[in-house]
Amino acid sequence: MDHAATTRVRPEVLEAMLPYFSEKYGNPSSLYGLAQEARKAVDEAREKVAESLGCRPAEIVFTSGGTESDNTALKGAAMALRPTGNHVITTSIEHHAVLHGCHFLENLGFEVTYLPVDRYGLVDLEEMERSITGRTVLVSMMLANNEIGTILPVAEAARLVKAKARRMGKSIVFHTDAVQAAGYLDLDVHALGVDMLSLSSHKFHGPKGVGVLFVRRGTPFTPQAVGGGQERQRRAGTENLPGIVGTAVALALAVQGKAWLVQHTSRLRDWLIQGICERVPGARLNGHPTQRLPNNVNFSFEHVEAEPLLVALDLAGIAASSGSACTSASLEPSHVLLAAGLTAEQAVGSLRLTLGRENTEEEVEYVLSVLPVVIARLQSVVASAPLR
């Protein structure tokens, strides 16, 4: 129940990768036959990813994951456009890969506007438009939130930003973190209207340690990893050959199977939400009730802390989380839930369940049989604790 954290590598993906660990192990940058076989595999993978995103192969940059893709997009665009301005706009519920990237830019003298969200995690687009100034060079808005599952209006926001940029006679780059969206939402970059888009392979049944960054042709961009001339000199370093091959296969499968996966996980999601609301008194659903990822369920429970809840669920054989896997070791309340208006006490009592292609009706019913009992037990412990 934690597919937002990571997914199992699909058998078809592993099968495609295996030869590139052994007999086809060449370095794509070398000239001899073994290396050129590797180069061909990278080129074919790039074409396959481009087809999945509806863009040109030359617009695809392979990275080490979503974090590097986000960091590279933010820093690359902001630094390239610094002569024209030093203002960046993002949202208060972005993944820390974006938020910390913005903090990095602030240390370099950039100004960042962190747009607030409503109780559902949605941004006021009129406020976004008002935030654009003559110094604005970059806007970054995630496609879907990794914790509460809310789907943000990226296509509408991109049109708004581009229209205002044209009226002002300037260039503003629009980036979206789409890491949680692959397999669930449309990733066509032209339909979205974005200049940059980030993906992470292990979120859609590909290998860990591989990411994708779409950079639209003509987008101002300063490389962040320099050295060799790989990735058209946009990201130096020897390519992760097996990972790139696997990523292309995984993304193609995710796009092909999207309709089925959306239907499958939506049904299980709605069953979970209804069951928790009926069986757990005081349960609060976080995120938008309908404009949310098909596989995402996020609740807060009164007088319950996430850590003992997750331990109890783990002992019962249920893998879940309280938010982003990248911050699961933190004792701080979720910045996403705080931004959505929850109190610190409510935020530390959150539970995220995220479904995938392998989840079954029996598993959902098992969770619904275990979760209310665990929560009632934890709440009774709090209620019986002596006042201090």
Side-chain angles (χ1 to χ4, degrees):
M1 294 281 168
D2 201 20
H3 284 78
T6 197
T7 58
R8 185 201 307 265
V9 173
R10 290 182 62 164
E12 306 96 314
V13 174
L14 180 59
E15 182 180 2
M17 293 172 63
L18 285 176
Y20 297 94
F21 286 107
S22 51
E23 65 265 26
K24 299 180 180 181
Y25 64 91
N27 185 326
S29 296
S30 298
L31 294 177
Y32 42 81
L34 182 65
Q36 289 310 298
E37 189 175 32
R39 168 52 53 196
K40 181 182 178 183
V42 171
D43 291 342
E44 290 176 349
R46 200 182 308 278
E47 292 173 1
K48 190 174 295 185
V49 170
E51 183 179 355
S52 296
L53 299 184
C55 66
R56 300 178 179 88
E59 295 175 317
I60 296 299
V61 179
F62 290 112
T63 70
S64 65
T67 294
E68 185 188 342
S69 292
D70 284 341
N71 272 254
T72 300
L74 295 177
K75 299 173 186 177
M79 292 179 180
L81 285 168
R82 190 166 194 172
T84 68
N86 68 335
H87 180 229
V88 176
I89 300 173
T90 189
T91 81
S92 56
I93 62 166
E94 297 294 314
H95 189 278
H96 278 120
V98 168
L99 293 180
H100 290 173
C102 288
H103 297 163
F104 177 90
L105 291 174
E106 286 180 304
N107 290 332
L108 295 182
F110 284 84
E111 296 179 11
V112 180
T113 297
Y114 300 92
L115 295 172
V117 297
D118 64 15
R119 59 177 295 198
Y120 300 123
L122 291 174
V123 172
D124 183 341
L125 295 187
E126 291 183 359
E127 184 172 0
M128 170 179 280
E129 184 175 26
R130 288 194 298 270
S131 300
I132 297 173
T133 73
R135 297 177 294 103
T136 305
V137 294
L138 172 66
V139 176
S140 182
M141 172 191 279
M142 65 192 338
L143 186 52
N145 186 263
N146 52 300
E147 293 192 29
I148 59 176
T150 296
I151 300 169
L152 281 76
V154 164
E156 186 179 353
R159 286 195 298 270
L160 179 154
V161 169
K162 293 299 181 181
K164 186 161 185 178
R166 284 193 296 270
R167 293 196 300 270
M168 299 172 70
K170 69 188 307 323
S171 176
I172 300 177
V173 172
F174 196 104
H175 164 257
T176 187
D177 175 344
V179 166
Q180 290 293 337
Y184 299 100
L185 303 178
D186 184 10
L187 296 179
D188 185 286
V189 294
H190 295 293
L192 291 171
V194 298
D195 300 304
M196 292 179 159
L197 178 144
S198 302
L199 293 174
S200 188
S201 183
H202 76 105
K203 305 294 188 179
F204 48 87
H205 297 279
K208 294 176 179 62
V210 193
V212 171
L213 176 62
F214 158 73
V215 182
R216 186 179 299 280
R217 185 171 67 175
T219 299
F221 181 79
T222 299
Q224 298 302 296
V226 296
Q230 293 89 350
E231 299 300 300
R232 292 176 177 258
Q233 299 188 15
R234 293 170 298 188
R235 196 263 189 181
T238 300
E239 298 92 339
N240 178 353
L241 178 58
I244 288 171
V245 170
T247 295
V249 174
L251 185 58
L253 289 172
V255 171
Q256 293 165 13
K258 181 169 75 73
W260 177 87
L261 184 62
V262 168
Q263 181 182 31
H264 174 68
T265 54
S266 293
R267 184 170 57 87
L268 298 183
R269 176 202 65 187
D270 293 345
W271 187 359
L272 261 177
I273 290 175
Q274 180 180 350
I276 292 173
C277 288
E278 291 175 349
R279 304 185 196 190
V280 182
R284 172 193 169 116
L285 178 67
N286 298 316
H288 198 281
T290 57
Q291 194 172 316
R292 69 187 301 130
L293 286 171
N295 72 327
N296 178 283
V297 176
N298 189 303
F299 275 93
S300 290
F301 305 105
E302 295 178 349
H303 310 302
V304 172
E305 291 188 2
E307 185 175 3
L309 174 58
L310 295 178
V311 170
L313 291 177
D314 184 36
L315 291 173
I318 299 170
S321 73
S322 59
S324 172
C326 300
T327 57
S328 61
S330 172
L331 298 178
E332 295 297 317
S334 160
H335 72 281
V336 174
L337 296 179
L338 293 178
L342 274 68
T343 65
E345 182 182 7
Q346 291 172 323
V348 297
S350 65
L351 173 69
R352 183 186 71 176
L353 303 170
T354 43
L355 299 147
R357 64 193 305 271
E358 297 159 340
N359 286 122
T360 64
E361 295 179 355
E362 291 76 16
E363 290 174 340
V364 169
E365 191 54 46
Y366 178 68
V367 171
L368 291 176
S369 69
V370 170
L371 183 62
V373 176
V374 169
I375 291 175
R377 185 171 73 244
L378 294 174
Q379 289 173 332
S380 68
V381 170
V382 173
S384 62
L387 296 175
R388 288 186 284 179

